[in-house]
Amino acid sequence: ENWLNQTLELNLIDATAMTLATASSDAIPSARIVLLKSYDDQGFCWYTDSQSQKGREIAANPQASLLFHWRDLSRQVRVQGRVEALTPELAESYFHSRPEGSRFSAAASRQSSVVADRGVLENEVQRLRELYPDGQVPRPERWTGYRLRPLYFEFWQGLVNRMHDRIVYCQSGDGWSTKRISP
């Protein structure tokens, strides 16, 4: 939380961007950047289409890893854990807090599915805008939120001569164990 708050106070570009790594049921990994939308003592939350590649992979294998990389501070944090879906109420609330254009784009897109061309998506956005001229396009059921419940943290602080600090926290019973690992 301290490191994230520092990045936000410094107005670093993409301070809440995190690499989300998932794996298919046959252990083929994939990674992409998503935006952290909230966090608390339960975990780290983001929103996406549950039928996207990441959504399908999470459904088949609910283990994932997050990586925050703040180059300007020479820091990164790796987080591993189990992923769970957020409630439809949370997804609904967040969906309607988004800018209007983002809501229409999310409703029009079936993320990760093949489209003939960009015109298909633009036409669907236009159709939805005509159907909902007040801007209140409903949240598609497939658009949901996820939370990664951490089981492992690694904090990396880059230092001179590659003598970086690496501190690991692992869930241990009702608490956390801590250890330093070599750079």
Side-chain angles (χ1 to χ4, degrees):
E1 184 174 24
N2 289 338
W3 280 14
L4 180 59
N5 286 338
Q6 286 177 355
T7 66
L8 295 171
E9 289 168 10
L10 293 170
N11 292 316
L12 295 185
I13 295 172
D14 294 328
T16 62
M18 56 187 186
T19 301
L20 168 64
T22 57
S24 64
S25 59
D26 51 352
I28 298 172
S30 64
R32 78 288 286 152
I33 304 295
V34 298
L35 296 178
L36 174 68
K37 292 302 176 181
S38 66
Y39 67 94
D40 58 23
D41 60 346
Q42 300 298 306
F44 300 88
C45 301
W46 68 94
Y47 295 84
T48 191
D49 188 320
S50 64
Q51 295 173 6
S52 67
Q53 179 182 350
K54 61 187 158 299
R56 292 189 313 269
E57 289 175 351
I58 289 167
N61 177 8
Q63 305 298 318
S65 183
L66 303 174
L67 172 67
F68 294 90
H69 179 228
W70 301 299
R71 181 180 176 174
D72 293 343
L73 297 176
S74 195
R75 289 179 176 167
Q76 63 183 356
V77 178
R78 290 190 320 129
V79 186
Q80 297 170 345
R82 187 168 183 79
V83 179
E84 62 189 25
L86 296 176
T87 65
E89 294 79 18
L90 285 172
E92 188 78 22
S93 176
Y94 178 71
F95 183 83
H96 289 290
S97 76
R98 301 176 81 203
E100 183 177 295
S102 296
R103 292 192 312 267
F104 276 100
S105 293
S109 173
R110 295 194 175 271
Q111 195 176 80
S112 300
S113 66
V114 176
V115 292
D117 57 47
R118 184 168 180 82
V120 171
L121 297 171
E122 291 169 349
N123 290 339
E124 181 60 8
V125 168
Q126 184 58 37
R127 185 188 76 77
L128 290 170
R129 285 195 176 279
E130 290 169 7
L131 198 56
Y132 302 100
D134 62 355
Q136 297 305 311
V137 63
R139 175 185 66 89
E141 190 173 319
R142 67 184 184 279
W143 198 90
T144 192
Y146 293 97
R147 174 186 291 118
L148 182 136
R149 288 187 176 268
L151 299 170
Y152 174 95
F153 287 90
E154 179 188 324
F155 291 83
W156 177 92
Q157 176 68 66
L159 298 171
V160 296
N161 298 323
R162 301 196 53 79
M163 283 297 290
H164 313 307
D165 274 337
R166 291 175 69 194
I167 308 296
V168 171
Y169 294 81
C170 294
Q171 191 171 35
S172 176
D174 290 338
W176 294 84
S177 65
T178 307
K179 58 189 169 194
R180 177 181 296 275
I181 59 177
S182 280

